[in-house]
């Protein structure tokens, strides 16, 4: 049983990993008080159908 092209799933996974790595590198260059906002905005853009819960 084949569910899809395994290579395309791997490529999509690699793209997500690269985007998250870029997000982390960008966030670490920001002032401390801007990191949480930047990360939450970028995650919302990467995963629009998901919710972000913050505790604090």
């Amino acid at each position: 049983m084949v569910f899809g092209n395994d290579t395309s799933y791997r490529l999509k996974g690699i793209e997500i990993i690269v985007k998250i790595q870029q997000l982390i590198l960008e966030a670490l260059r920001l002032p401390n008080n801007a990191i949480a906002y930047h990360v939450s905005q970028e995650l919302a853009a990467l995963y629009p159908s998901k919710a972000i819960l913050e505790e604090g």
Side-chain angles (χ1 to χ4, degrees):
M1 185 184 288
V2 176
F3 291 103
N5 184 346
D6 190 45
T7 303
S8 68
Y9 286 120
R10 278 192 233 142
L11 289 176
K12 186 169 182 116
I14 291 170
E15 290 173 8
I16 291 171
I17 290 170
V18 169
K19 287 180 183 179
I20 292 173
Q21 286 176 335
Q22 289 172 344
L23 168 64
I24 292 169
L25 289 173
E26 289 172 6
L28 291 174
R29 291 185 182 113
L30 296 172
N32 288 340
N33 60 346
I35 292 173
Y37 177 79
H38 177 74
V39 170
S40 67
Q41 293 299 304
E42 292 296 319
L43 287 175
L46 281 173
Y47 302 101
S49 63
K50 304 289 182 180
I52 298 173
L53 300 177
E54 295 183 26
E55 183 180 338

